[in-house]
Amino acid sequence: VAACRDTGYDWFEQLLQNLLKSEEDASYKPVKKACTQLVDNLVEHILKYEESLSDSDNKGVNSGRLVACITTLFLFSKIRPQLMVKHAMTMQPYLTTKCSTQNDFMVICNVAKILELVVPLMEHPSETFLATIEEDLMKLIIKYGMTVVQHCVSCLGAVVNKVTQNYKFVWACFNRYYGALSKLKSQHQEDPNSTILTANKPALLRSLFTVGALCRHFDFDQEDFKGNSKVNIKDKVLELLMYFTKHSDEEVQTKAIIGLGFAFIQHPSLMFEQEVKTLYNSILSDKNCSVNLKIQVLKNLQTYLQEEDTRMQQADRDWKKVAKQEDLKEMGDISSGMSSSIMQLYLKQVLEAFFHNQSSVRHFALNVIALTLNQGLIHPVQCVPYLIAMGTDPEPSMRNKADQQLVEIDKKYAGFIHV
């Protein structure tokens, strides 16, 4: 795992998945036993490593070795979270790691990802343990940058939504950032050139990102959050974030678009709003528009499709467990119908991005189209000419990916491309 830090861990996940799946119905499960031993020993190794640090002068230094151990534990948790249930309490203190190096941040993010998968599986976890996790996560959300915020909000989502139902705690955090945004909006409306706004720019960027991240994992329109209030929170959030997409500072625009992308994962129907369609399509089609904004819109669409795909796969697994007699296909169709309609809104502009002079824009456009095709959300006839054109792209990786998509289409719709 340490050696593959830069190339990715897909192979390792696939290996674990296949090995564990192969013995699912067997009475003797040597792979499961080996995984349990590996996980237990890695946890023990981490504890011994901590002890050796406390005896030396290198206190507080997280080595690449420790990061690799915790990353490996996360990969095991991703495939079989049950393996880590008994170690959850051992992992929790790592959320209080003092962050000064890249390794420290990786430790925190991986521990948050482990706890997100494992805590909901614990039987009767102590209230103190759960309250400590919530408080640790909140401190990290308030203090650190985007990556940490993202993973910690995601973990908090799993802990609160599935275990503690401590909605007041999250509602208070949401209101803190939402209130800050409302105030900054009012100040900007009064005087767009105000020096207060310049001084408050870091707070504005953090609020845009955090409000979006919280909306991704929590539905604040539920009574659990807003009580009897008739205010429509998602519309209010949309209005606020849309306001800052028209800001003169590109960094502010980008963060507002990131926030919107998060909110659309919880409420995809917002992507049908006219102002959102106009924003996305104008950014994608305007030749003078900043490359960063184009990439961010494409990333938003990519993340939405990836989340939908994960959701569909999970729903599929859940239904297979629950009832063989239910109409599985119908369940999936409702959700994929929404994704398909959304992609039709932006398809033309995404395909046109195949011809952008910046390879990074072409790269994300191709990712979005690949996901759209793999999920069967559009008919390939709409994309084939563009994929063929991509065959002359100066970047070899793009040519290969486009060819790969054409081969997949040809397999699925036998002989379609030759015709």
Side-chain angles (χ1 to χ4, degrees):
V1 169
C4 294
R5 183 171 170 169
D6 300 325
T7 51
Y9 309 113
D10 289 354
W11 63 273
F12 185 67
E13 288 179 34
Q14 205 55 59
L15 176 71
L16 277 181
Q17 189 92 50
N18 294 344
L19 286 169
L20 287 160
K21 200 173 173 62
S22 67
E23 61 176 31
E24 250 171 19
D25 303 322
S27 52
Y28 175 55
K29 300 182 191 289
V31 177
K32 188 182 170 191
K33 187 181 175 185
C35 287
T36 306
Q37 290 173 336
L38 283 164
V39 165
D40 293 351
N41 273 288
L42 281 169
V43 172
E44 204 173 309
H45 177 78
I46 289 170
L47 293 173
K48 281 183 180 159
Y49 173 79
E50 284 290 298
E51 276 172 32
S52 70
L53 272 189
S54 60
D55 297 338
S56 75
D57 300 333
N58 287 344
K59 226 174 183 172
V61 177
N62 281 321
S63 73
R65 186 87 180 151
L66 175 68
V67 174
C69 278
I70 291 179
T71 306
T72 309
L73 289 173
F74 162 62
L75 294 171
F76 275 109
S77 306
K78 204 172 170 186
I79 306 301
R80 275 290 186 282
Q82 294 83 354
L83 293 168
M84 278 295 289
V85 168
K86 64 178 179 183
H87 302 298
M89 293 182 80
T90 309
M91 301 314 291
Q92 176 269 320
Y94 288 90
L95 289 176
T96 58
T97 301
K98 293 269 185 296
C99 284
S100 51
T101 67
Q102 184 60 32
N103 280 344
D104 298 334
F105 286 111
M106 288 185 76
V107 165
I108 279 186
C109 290
N110 279 306
V111 169
K113 290 193 282 188
I114 291 169
L115 293 171
E116 178 181 342
L117 294 163
V118 171
V119 173
L121 302 178
M122 294 172 75
E123 282 185 34
H124 315 299
S126 84
E127 285 185 20
T128 316
F129 167 69
L130 294 170
T132 308
I133 287 184
E134 287 177 340
E135 280 160 27
D136 289 345
L137 291 169
M138 195 58 78
K139 283 175 192 163
L140 293 165
I141 290 164
I142 291 165
K143 189 172 181 183
Y144 292 112
M146 286 197 300
T147 312
V148 173
V149 170
Q150 224 170 321
H151 290 307
C152 289
V153 171
S154 188
C155 182
L156 192 64
V159 173
V160 172
N161 290 327
K162 296 177 184 175
V163 188
T164 65
Q165 273 86 53
N166 190 358
Y167 300 117
K168 276 184 184 164
F169 185 67
V170 180
W171 182 239
C173 175
F174 171 75
N175 274 308
R176 171 184 182 158
Y177 289 106
Y178 177 83
L181 271 188
S182 298
K183 194 175 170 187
L184 290 163
K185 178 190 170 185
S186 303
Q187 288 172 346
H188 187 261
Q189 282 171 323
E190 281 167 28
D191 177 10
N193 304 314
S194 157
T195 50
I196 300 172
L197 282 172
T198 317
N200 282 331
K201 184 180 164 182
L204 173 57
L205 296 176
R206 176 175 284 280
S207 299
L208 288 166
F209 187 87
T210 311
V211 162
L214 287 164
C215 286
R216 175 179 180 169
H217 296 284
F218 300 97
D219 181 0
F220 291 108
D221 280 308
Q222 286 179 351
E223 209 175 296
D224 296 318
F225 289 105
K226 65 177 188 179
N228 300 325
S229 167
K230 294 283 180 280
V231 177
N232 189 318
I233 303 292
K234 71 173 188 291
D235 290 349
K236 288 282 181 195
V237 167
L238 178 67
E239 190 188 318
L240 257 185
L241 294 174
M242 284 300 297
Y243 178 82
F244 287 104
T245 61
K246 300 172 185 71
H247 199 279
S248 56
D249 185 322
E250 190 186 303
E251 208 180 342
V252 172
Q253 285 178 291
T254 307
K255 281 288 189 297
I257 292 169
I258 291 173
L260 283 173
F262 287 152
F264 296 159
I265 290 168
Q266 178 73 249
H267 302 288
S269 59
L270 292 175
M271 279 191 265
F272 294 114
E273 295 289 330
Q274 189 54 51
E275 55 182 336
V276 175
K277 288 192 285 188
T278 306
L279 174 76
Y280 270 23
N281 283 331
S282 62
I283 288 173
L284 291 173
S285 55
D286 182 356
K287 289 185 169 53
N288 301 317
C289 189
S290 133
V291 167
N292 290 337
L293 296 181
K294 284 183 192 291
I295 288 173
Q296 194 51 58
V297 167
L298 291 166
K299 276 184 179 174
N300 281 5
L301 291 171
Q302 178 181 309
T303 310
Y304 164 69
L305 290 169
Q306 286 166 335
E307 282 288 314
E308 272 305 301
D309 193 36
T310 307
R311 225 181 273 181
M312 296 281 288
Q313 285 176 14
Q314 189 55 51
D316 202 39
R317 282 195 293 271
D318 293 347
W319 274 91
K320 278 177 180 160
K321 271 185 217 161
V322 174
K324 295 270 194 290
Q325 70 274 19
E326 295 288 350
D327 186 351
L328 261 179
K329 186 174 183 306
E330 195 180 311
M331 274 297 295
D333 285 350
I334 296 164
S335 187
S336 62
M338 167 88 84
S339 308
S340 180
S341 305
I342 287 167
M343 286 320 297
Q344 289 296 348
L345 292 177
Y346 306 109
L347 184 65
K348 184 177 178 290
Q349 282 73 15
V350 173
L351 287 168
E352 291 297 333
F354 275 27
F355 304 115
H356 198 276
N357 56 8
Q358 289 277 344
S359 65
S360 49
V361 174
R362 300 199 302 276
H363 166 80
F364 283 107
L366 186 53
N367 280 358
V368 170
I369 293 302
L371 282 162
T372 309
L373 285 168
N374 293 343
Q375 290 177 39
L377 301 177
I378 52 172
H379 195 284
V381 73
Q382 296 168 280
C383 301
V384 167
Y386 292 89
L387 289 166
I388 291 170
M390 184 68 91
T392 60
D393 195 278
E395 302 268 333
S397 62
M398 308 278 246
R399 293 199 297 272
N400 293 341
K401 193 163 183 180
D403 285 346
Q404 204 181 333
Q405 285 303 315
L406 288 166
V407 169
E408 288 299 317
I409 292 169
D410 205 36
K411 270 188 213 162
K412 215 171 183 179
Y413 302 84
F416 172 74
I417 292 171
H418 305 308
V419 175

